[in-house]
Amino acid sequence: MINTGDTAWVLISAALVFIMTPGLAFFYGGMVRSKNVLTTIMQSFFIVAMISVEWVLIGYAMTFGTDINGFIGNLDKVGLAGVGYNILENGTIPELAFVAFQCMFAVITPALITGAFAERMKFAAFAMFILLWAILIYNPMAHWVWGGGFLAELGALDFAGGLVIHILSGVSGLTLCILLGKRSGYGRTAMIPHNLPMTVLGATLLWFGWFGFNAGSALGANELAANAFVTSQAAAGAATLSWVITEWKMNGKPTILGAASGCIAGLVAITPAAGFVAPLPSIIIGLVGGVVCYLAVAVLKERLGYDDALDAFGVHGIGGTWGAIATGIWATTEINPAGANGLYYGETNLFIAQLISIGVAVILAIAGTCILYKLVTLITEARASEAEELTGLDIIEHGERGYARSILGGSPIMGSFEDSSEMLANTVLNATAHKV
């Protein structure tokens, strides 16, 4: 029997998760240079449209259709055939409400990848890659974990997407940014965020929407949703504190970009565990998540030299991995009888299943991204040229500017406020290096 309260909560949660992708557009858009702000926002906005259609046509069928040998759903629900007003199996909501909710997950996951290759990928290649990635990488992985596939049979737990969403997108983003190569001038030219207030607005929308992301995954207005709501807030707050304190200790100043990044890191880390752990462990998960993600962004990336432009891997790949491990440590059937007990409660099966699932997600992301990238480059050029990067993809790819030059008051010699800012930043960097 349909429960109207549960149905209302799931539909509201779907709307909350929807707002996360525009929020991500602002979060990423503020961190790029102004000549690429529209391109960055366009990528997320276009994904909302493209993947929504893909999900209705084939994505839901592949993910939640009748299982075929643990690997993929069959096509009995292609085009949502037969879904109608059926009640979700073992649930209290219409299956269409579940379709809508899961659609928003399918939308935001590939959008996360765009932060890794920001400012250098052509739009046609981007659109082609993302569509293929959603069909051939996201849908199978989601089926393996949530659709009754072999990882679910193994016992892996992923309440709202640490394995399916964050590890998969973060590792794919890292792989793609390495395949594309570094942005022109990376490491020599200051590439500073052009609008941090926009980034903070995006982070706030993400934090707000994440309550639907995690608490909505309870698929009902119940005690499990309340637990996921509280653990999400606690982890986000703890990670914000630990990121800012670590940054303050290492760099001498606490930054708003660090605070915004920290809250996202905490939300990523708690996502797989939100409905399986108690509030106190969620604080530990957040505290550790803030530190490890900061180190991945500030130390690991610099030492290895890859150009993950907006730290999709450092936050989502690393944060999702830690969250999946933490689920294997602190999950308890006292919180969710449908889950399992982790290492902290004296059992090892879940922890082992989590490690195996992490390995599967990483292998799928790397291998799948390499194959799809090669396929796309056989059809169209993927990487913008150095001259196109210098001009900016907003003009080259879309024929638009995010800001009028007259508003920015740029120098007619330097061309724009952004160019002036970059020149000033480079001058300071060079002077500092000379002084040292």
Side-chain angles (χ1 to χ4, degrees):
M1 181 175 178
I2 290 177
N3 182 296
T4 55
D6 290 346
T7 302
W9 171 239
V10 171
L11 291 175
I12 290 169
S13 295
L16 287 170
V17 181
F18 163 80
I19 203 65
M20 291 176 71
T21 304
L24 182 73
F26 284 120
F27 183 69
Y28 281 168
M31 284 194 282
V32 298
R33 291 167 289 180
S34 64
K35 61 187 177 183
N36 296 310
V37 59
L38 295 181
T39 299
T40 303
I41 292 174
M42 173 62 165
Q43 288 171 348
S44 288
F45 200 89
F46 190 78
I47 284 172
V48 173
M50 180 172 65
I51 301 305
S52 294
V53 174
E54 178 273 332
W55 184 251
V56 170
L57 291 178
I58 193 171
Y60 185 76
M62 291 179 66
T63 305
F64 294 104
T66 303
D67 177 67
I68 301 176
N69 299 321
F71 282 94
I72 200 66
N74 68 14
L75 299 182
D76 58 351
K77 294 183 179 182
V78 66
L80 302 185
V83 173
Y85 297 104
N86 298 335
I87 299 177
L88 185 68
E89 186 177 355
N90 300 320
T92 58
I93 63 174
E95 188 173 3
L96 276 175
F98 182 69
V99 171
F101 182 65
Q102 285 293 331
C103 176
M104 304 311 169
F105 282 66
V107 164
I108 195 170
T109 306
L112 296 173
I113 301 173
T114 64
F117 61 74
E119 303 193 299
R120 60 196 187 273
M121 192 172 189
K122 288 180 170 290
F123 187 78
F126 144 79
M128 192 180 303
F129 175 85
I130 291 296
L131 180 59
L132 291 173
W133 190 91
I135 295 171
L136 300 175
I137 297 181
Y138 176 81
N139 292 344
M141 184 68 187
H143 178 78
W144 297 348
V145 177
W146 292 332
F150 74 94
L151 292 180
E153 292 294 325
L154 182 66
L157 296 181
D158 189 4
F159 192 71
L163 293 165
V164 176
I165 294 174
H166 297 296
I167 296 177
L168 203 63
S169 63
V171 175
S172 292
L174 174 65
T175 306
L176 187 55
C177 81
I178 292 173
L179 291 171
L180 281 167
K182 301 175 185 178
R183 287 168 290 176
S184 178
Y186 180 74
R188 303 187 308 274
T189 301
M191 298 180 179
I192 58 177
H194 89 281
N195 193 330
L196 282 178
M198 180 188 291
T199 293
V200 176
L201 171 63
T204 304
L205 289 172
L206 283 166
W207 196 338
F208 174 68
W210 226 292
F211 294 121
F213 200 72
N214 287 355
S217 293
L219 299 181
N222 50 40
E223 63 276 10
L224 190 58
N227 185 83
F229 198 112
V230 172
T231 56
S232 298
Q233 182 70 4
T240 303
L241 296 177
S242 65
W243 183 302
V244 169
I245 291 170
T246 304
E247 176 187 51
W248 198 349
K249 178 73 173 177
M250 295 186 67
N251 292 338
K253 293 184 184 297
T255 68
I256 185 62
L257 179 58
S261 301
C263 86
I264 303 304
L267 290 163
V268 169
I270 197 60
T271 289
F276 297 117
V277 303
L280 282 180
S282 73
I283 293 178
I284 301 173
I285 292 170
L287 288 172
V288 175
V291 174
V292 297
C293 288
Y294 172 79
L295 294 176
V297 168
V299 178
L300 182 66
K301 183 172 75 168
E302 182 179 353
R303 290 186 179 177
L304 297 182
Y306 55 85
D307 184 12
D308 177 5
L310 309 181
D311 299 309
F313 173 72
V315 173
H316 298 279
I318 297 298
T321 299
W322 161 239
I325 293 171
T327 304
I329 298 174
W330 285 293
T332 171
T333 53
E334 292 182 6
I335 296 295
N336 190 339
N341 289 321
L343 281 180
Y344 184 79
Y345 299 92
E347 298 186 22
T348 60
N349 289 342
L350 174 60
F351 188 75
I352 294 171
Q354 295 299 99
L355 294 181
I356 293 172
S357 299
I358 290 169
V360 169
V362 169
I363 292 170
L364 175 64
I366 294 173
T369 299
C370 288
I371 293 170
L372 294 182
Y373 177 77
K374 180 64 176 177
L375 177 62
V376 168
T377 56
L378 291 175
I379 300 171
T380 186
E381 188 178 10
R383 174 66 188 263
S385 68
E386 185 174 351
E388 289 171 333
E389 283 190 51
L390 183 62
T391 302
L393 297 186
D394 288 359
I395 290 291
I396 296 298
E397 292 290 309
H398 305 292
E400 300 174 293
R401 285 190 187 277
Y403 309 98
R405 289 177 182 267
S406 59
I407 293 176
L408 294 174
S411 162
I413 298 175
M414 295 178 181
S416 71
F417 173 77
E418 176 183 87
D419 296 332
S420 304
S421 299
E422 288 191 16
M423 182 172 288
L424 177 60
N426 286 326
T427 301
V428 172
L429 287 173
N430 291 335
T432 303
H434 179 71
K435 184 178 179 180
V436 173

